[in-house]
Amino acid sequence: RSPTVTGVQTCALPICGVIRVRVVRRFAESAVMRILNLVENATAKKTKTERFITRFAKIYTPAVIAAAALLAIVPPLVTGADWTVWVRRSFVFLVTSCPCALVISIPLSYFAGIGKASANGILFKGTTYLELLRNIETVAFDKTGTLTRGFFTVTGILPAALSEDALLEAAAYAESESTHPIARSIVNAFGNPIERGRISGIHEVAGQGILAVFDGKRLAVGNDRLLIAEGIAFEPSARPGTVVYVALDGRFGGTIVVGDRLKSDSAAAIAALKGCGVRRTALVTGDNRATAEAFASELGISEVYCELLPDRKVEVVETLIQEKAGPGAVVFVGDGINDAPVLARADIGVAMGGAGSEAAIEAADIVILKDEPSKIAEAIRIARRTDGIVRQNVIFSLAGKAVFLILGMLGLTGMWQAVFADVGIMLIAVLNAMRILR
C-alpha cells in the first residue's frame, strides 16, 4: 500500500516506480512569501501627501509651541493682564494644536486603501502607486495571457507544398522542445509521440521562429520575418490568429493558424476603464496586424501597436508617455517575461499575478492575483475613493483646528473643548478613513 501523504489520495495499487523531487528554491523565495512581503512592505513608499504631512508636522509642532509660549508671556508683560488667565489659554492652545488628526488619519487612509485593494485581489507595492492611480490618462495592454486566456488551439491548417498531416507533423517536431503556449498547442494538435532521432539542430531565432533539421532537410517554422530572412517565397495569410509559416528544404509548405480566446471580462474591463475617464487605450503586442486589429475591434481598444519585440514595446510606451496631454499616468498591463522591461518603464506597471511570470510580477508596481483585467478599473475606483477621503480628512482637520485655536486664544473654550479639538477630531478623521474598507 502506498504511504499516506497529506492532501494526496492513496490507493491499494503497488508502487511501481520512483518519484524524484528536486527543490530548486527555499520557501522564503517562493511566490507565496513574495506576495506576503509585498503586502507587508506596501507602505514603505510614501505618497506626496504623506511626505507633505510629515514635513508639515516637523515645522508645525515647534511653531505652535513657540506660539503657545508667546501667548502665555506677551499679553501679561505688555498689558499687565492676569498671568493665570493667559497661561491657561496657552495650555488650551497647546492641546488644541496637536497634529494627531493629520499624522494618524492620513497614513491610515492609505493603509485602508491598500487593505481594501488586497481584499479584492489587488496588491499595491506602495502607497505611491495608490496615489498615482487616481489620475490615469492611458492604459496599454499586452494581449496574450493579459486580455486573452493564453490557451491556444490550432484553428486552421492551410497546406501548400505539404499535405495537412505532413505540415502539422513538421511544425510539431520543430516546436517539440519549446514551452511556449503556441508551440504546445501545435504539438498537442499533432498528438503523436515525437521521435527525437528525426529532429536535430534546433535553433530558436528570437522574435522570428525556429530553424532545425528534420529528416535530413532544413526546416523553418515561424512568422513571415523568418521566411523573408531565409529567402523563401510564401503566401501571406490574413486570417485572424497567430500565423505560423512552415518551409521544408527551402520550399513553402503551408500555414498553421493558432487562435486564443478572450477572457470573459476583457470587454467589460475596457468599457469600465472608459467609464473611469481613461482617455486612451492601446493594444501593444507581438502578434500580426490582422490578429491584433481583430481583437482590438472586438474589445473597443482605440489604438493598436503590433508585431513588436520587447524593446519595441518599451519604445511604444515611452512614446505614449511623451504624448501625455496632462499629468495623468500611463499604465501598462502585462504578464510575460518579455513584458518585464515595459512594466518597469511605464508610470505604473500592472502584472497578472495568477499565471504571470516571476519577472513580470517583480517588475510591476501593482499585481492582480486573479488575472482579471476588470480589476484595473476597480483599483482606480479604490484609489480615487482613498484620495477623496484623504482630502476630506486634511480639510476637516485643518479647519477644525483653526476654529478651536482662534476660540482658545479669545478665551471662549476651555480644556474640555481643547481635548475634543485634539482627540475628538482625530477619532472622527480615523473613523472617516475606515469607511474605505466598507
Side-chain angles (χ1 to χ4, degrees):
R1 177 181 292 273
S2 59
T4 301
V5 181
T6 302
V8 178
Q9 293 182 348
T10 61
C11 62
L13 295 176
I15 297 176
C16 54
V18 177
I19 298 177
R20 298 184 182 274
V21 179
R22 181 164 61 96
V23 178
V24 296
R25 291 190 179 181
R26 298 180 178 181
F27 177 70
E29 300 172 356
S30 66
V32 173
M33 288 303 297
R34 287 204 312 275
I35 290 173
L36 290 176
N37 287 334
L38 289 181
V39 176
E40 292 173 0
N41 299 324
T43 56
K45 298 179 180 178
K46 292 186 176 181
T47 64
K48 291 181 179 178
T49 305
E50 288 179 290
R51 293 196 296 270
F52 166 75
I53 293 300
T54 302
R55 293 194 301 267
F56 174 79
K58 288 181 179 179
I59 299 172
Y60 174 81
T61 302
V64 295
I65 291 176
L70 292 174
L71 187 64
I73 297 172
V74 172
L77 291 178
V78 173
T79 64
D82 186 356
W83 282 86
T84 304
V85 172
W86 287 99
V87 168
R88 183 181 295 109
R89 290 187 185 183
S90 71
F91 283 138
V92 170
F93 181 93
L94 195 61
V95 172
T96 303
S97 64
C98 182
C100 292
L102 286 175
V103 175
I104 294 176
S105 68
I106 303 307
L108 183 62
S109 299
Y110 286 109
F111 298 164
I114 287 178
K116 178 64 176 177
S118 299
N120 287 272
I122 307 165
L123 299 185
F124 284 84
K125 291 188 179 180
T127 53
T128 303
Y129 309 112
L130 190 65
E131 185 179 51
L132 284 175
L133 200 63
R134 72 189 184 198
N135 188 15
I136 301 298
E137 179 174 312
T138 305
V139 180
F141 292 91
D142 172 53
K143 181 181 78 68
T144 305
T146 302
L147 294 174
T148 65
R149 298 176 183 270
F151 302 122
F152 291 90
T153 56
V154 173
T155 59
I157 301 177
L158 311 175
L162 299 175
S163 66
E164 286 191 12
D165 292 340
L167 179 64
L168 184 58
E169 179 185 50
Y173 269 83
E175 304 282 12
S176 60
E177 293 188 1
S178 174
T179 58
H180 193 280
I182 293 177
R184 302 320 304 164
S185 68
I186 293 175
V187 173
N188 292 336
F190 177 57
N192 297 321
I194 301 296
E195 301 175 20
R196 296 298 175 186
R198 298 180 63 187
I199 189 81
S200 62
I202 296 178
H203 170 65
E204 183 175 350
V205 182
Q208 296 184 10
I210 292 175
L211 298 174
V213 177
F214 177 58
D215 288 341
K217 299 178 181 178
R218 184 173 175 81
L219 174 64
V221 177
N223 56 29
D224 54 352
R225 294 193 297 272
L226 179 65
L227 268 63
I228 292 172
E230 292 292 306
I232 300 171
F234 65 99
E235 299 176 6
S237 174
R239 290 187 58 169
T242 300
V243 178
V244 179
Y245 298 105
V246 179
L248 187 62
D249 208 19
R251 296 178 60 198
F252 176 56
T255 304
I256 295 176
V257 182
V258 178
D260 193 5
R261 291 190 299 169
L262 287 171
K263 292 179 179 177
S264 58
D265 68 334
S266 292
I270 303 301
L273 287 173
K274 292 180 179 179
C276 289
V278 174
R279 191 172 65 88
R280 300 173 67 184
T281 54
L283 185 63
V284 182
T285 177
D287 281 344
N288 62 67
R289 179 164 295 278
T291 302
E293 290 181 346
F295 275 101
S297 175
E298 184 175 354
L299 292 171
I301 294 177
S302 56
E303 301 177 29
V304 176
Y305 302 89
C306 54
E307 301 178 358
L308 301 175
L309 295 177
D311 57 335
R312 287 283 296 121
K313 286 186 176 183
V314 175
E315 293 176 7
V316 168
V317 170
E318 288 178 342
T319 301
L320 293 175
I321 292 174
Q322 293 171 2
E323 292 175 352
K324 288 192 300 184
V330 173
V331 177
F332 181 82
V333 189
D335 72 308
I337 189 172
N338 61 330
D339 295 324
V342 206
L343 290 167
R345 178 62 186 90
D347 294 332
I348 303 175
V350 180
M352 296 293 159
S357 70
E358 295 181 2
I361 294 172
E362 190 70 25
D365 306 310
I366 301 171
V367 180
I368 297 176
L369 296 182
K370 296 183 179 179
D371 288 352
E372 298 174 357
S374 58
K375 293 289 185 181
I376 302 169
E378 186 174 347
I380 293 174
R381 287 192 291 269
I382 292 173
R384 290 177 177 173
R385 176 70 167 168
T386 302
D387 180 67
I389 287 181
V390 166
R391 292 173 183 270
Q392 291 171 15
N393 282 343
V394 169
I395 294 172
F396 174 71
S397 299
L398 293 179
K401 293 286 182 182
V403 170
F404 278 96
L405 285 174
I406 293 172
L407 293 176
M409 292 173 62
L410 297 175
L412 300 177
T413 58
M415 189 58 70
W416 283 109
Q417 290 82 0
V419 170
F420 172 78
D422 176 23
V423 180
I425 289 178
M426 181 195 70
L427 289 176
I428 293 172
V430 166
L431 291 173
N432 189 44
M434 298 300 289
R435 289 194 301 122
I436 300 172
L437 297 173
R438 297 182 58 182

